[in-house]
Amino acid sequence: MIIIILVVLTLTRRYISKQQTRFRPYDPNLFNKIKGNIFEGFDNETGTSNGSSIVPNHIHFLFLNASYIPYVHAVCVLAAFRNHRPEKIFFHTNVVQFTGRHWDKIKRTLGPVLKVTNVTLPTEIFGQKFSKNYHLWHAGDVTRIRILMQYGGIFLDNDSYVVRNLDVFRKYEMTIGITDGDYLGTQVLIAHKDARFLKLWLECYRDYNPDSWYYNAGEKPMAEVLIYRPELAHTVHTLLGVHTLSERLYIWDKWDNWRKYYSVHLIVRHRNYMDTLWNNFWWPDLDETNICDYPKPFGAMAREIYSDFCPKKEV
């Protein structure tokens, strides 16, 4: 009986996995939804003919359900401000007031560039309730699409570290990074508010899979949109740093090539299982209490941006 149950469970998991990765063939009705768009015929390989920027020089972050700004998130906000020099940095949030020393640092540093706007976390998409287990992430993925459709600009995950100015990508209708599995990376998005891909990306949620963490956000829009119409976005396979770089950030003793990237997704929320047991024992968290002596490559990246509390080196 036990053997039979195990076989059934194994087959069921395989079936569910197969269902989660089943994609629809080319759908002309989907692409008809962007007919007449202002970018019809636009070339996202070359961008604007004269190299002019069409994406607003605004950066967007989404902070949900927590008033305290952690150190790593503060580093990323400050890196975006210092290394990109946006006209505005938006904090879209559903909290009443942020707290903590890092929030104070952000306010002092950004000054009038910082704009805080209220956002309500949705509970459903196209009449379908968001997954209970993945609600925060799925709703956040939808919200970032809607933010870009409203404002345009550069959307960054809270743990996306801007290394170099991103203006080179502002001449495209939409720019998006590609992850390890040839999926879309949602961590760094650069788009005009009328970008055709944004509308089609949101449409991918009409067939919502509540049981898969990344199906609608990264897998489906690649397999059902960009595979057929790659001209709808400027894709970057390496230098936006949305592929897995955790080993280089937290395990390697030296990694200077991070400076060649435009941005690096720190994957800090997943570090507990991507890093070694030894490193997790000595540095279970990375914050102002230990970053000054943290010897891995991320330590140098963080201290370069925000090290107010570190002892000053004698000259």
Side-chain angles (χ1 to χ4, degrees):
M1 180 61 71
I2 294 176
I3 294 175
I4 293 174
I5 292 173
L6 289 174
V7 170
V8 170
L9 287 174
T10 300
L11 293 175
T12 301
R13 286 174 182 170
R14 289 179 180 175
Y15 174 77
I16 291 173
S17 177
K18 186 176 180 181
Q19 289 293 101
Q20 290 175 352
T21 56
R22 181 180 295 168
F23 302 110
R24 296 176 178 178
Y26 180 86
D27 181 3
N29 292 324
L30 174 65
F31 294 102
N32 283 341
K33 294 180 183 295
I34 56 172
K35 276 192 174 180
N37 182 280
I38 62 170
F39 285 107
E40 193 164 336
F42 186 83
D43 187 349
N44 277 301
E45 280 298 312
T46 60
T48 53
S49 58
N50 61 359
S52 60
S53 296
I54 55 176
V55 172
N57 192 17
H58 300 162
I59 286 179
H60 303 275
F61 289 97
L62 184 60
F63 286 94
L64 298 170
N65 297 349
S67 60
Y68 180 76
I69 304 291
Y71 171 73
V72 173
H73 292 176
V75 165
C76 291
V77 172
L78 296 170
F81 175 74
R82 171 178 163 176
N83 295 334
H84 177 71
R85 291 297 174 184
E87 295 172 7
K88 296 178 183 178
I89 291 182
F90 287 89
F91 274 30
H92 302 275
T93 183
N94 60 354
V95 303
V96 175
Q97 178 63 52
F98 291 111
T99 60
R101 66 187 297 184
H102 307 313
W103 168 241
D104 293 337
K105 169 71 174 180
I106 289 169
K107 285 194 301 181
R108 287 195 308 270
T109 305
L110 272 58
V113 170
L114 178 63
K115 307 293 180 184
V116 180
T117 68
N118 179 260
V119 67
T120 301
L121 194 64
T123 59
E124 61 179 36
I125 180 69
F126 297 125
Q128 306 159 97
K129 290 286 186 181
F130 280 119
S131 160
K132 183 177 180 180
N133 292 332
Y134 297 129
H135 176 222
L136 183 63
W137 294 276
H138 288 181
D141 288 334
V142 167
T143 300
R144 75 185 62 200
I145 298 172
R146 288 173 171 166
I147 286 171
L148 286 175
M149 291 178 76
Q150 179 178 355
Y151 297 94
I154 301 165
F155 188 98
L156 299 174
D157 256 12
N158 298 343
D159 61 344
S160 286
Y161 180 110
V162 174
V163 180
R164 291 194 282 157
N165 188 284
L166 297 166
D167 281 348
V168 65
F169 301 110
R170 292 176 53 223
K171 66 179 180 178
Y172 303 108
E173 170 190 0
M174 172 133 198
T175 300
I176 196 162
I178 304 300
T179 67
D180 306 293
D182 285 335
Y183 302 143
L184 302 184
T186 62
Q187 302 88 352
V188 181
L189 306 169
I190 305 167
H192 187 282
K193 68 182 182 68
D194 296 315
R196 292 166 291 175
F197 180 71
L198 289 176
K199 182 175 179 61
L200 297 180
W201 195 359
L202 193 60
E203 285 292 318
C204 286
Y205 281 84
R206 290 192 183 276
D207 174 29
Y208 171 59
N209 185 337
D211 300 317
S212 176
W213 179 60
Y214 212 56
Y215 174 80
N216 289 95
E219 299 175 43
K220 188 178 178 70
M222 175 60 84
E224 296 185 7
V225 178
L226 283 188
I227 289 295
Y228 300 112
R229 296 284 301 275
E231 76 277 8
L232 295 179
H234 183 79
T235 54
V236 181
H237 282 264
T238 301
L239 293 183
L240 285 181
V242 300
H243 52 297
T244 304
L245 295 168
S246 56
E247 184 177 3
R248 304 173 201 191
L249 290 164
Y250 309 117
I251 298 177
W252 288 11
D253 291 324
K254 188 176 178 62
W255 180 48
D256 292 332
N257 278 350
W258 66 269
R259 295 187 183 277
K260 297 180 180 179
Y261 287 71
Y262 283 98
S263 56
V264 173
H265 182 222
L266 302 176
I267 328 178
V268 71
R269 187 170 61 85
H270 302 277
R271 179 181 155 260
N272 63 322
Y273 63 86
M274 289 184 166
D275 205 343
T276 65
L277 290 173
W278 176 260
N279 288 346
N280 274 301
F281 173 78
W282 283 107
W283 301 287
D285 296 300
L286 298 175
D287 56 31
E288 65 276 15
T289 67
N290 57 22
I291 199 66
C292 300
D293 300 315
Y294 182 62
K296 303 301 181 180
F298 172 66
M301 296 170 67
R303 290 189 296 270
E304 185 170 295
I305 297 297
Y306 184 19
S307 60
D308 300 13
F309 30 77
C310 295
K312 303 298 181 184
K313 293 183 178 179
E314 295 184 6
V315 180

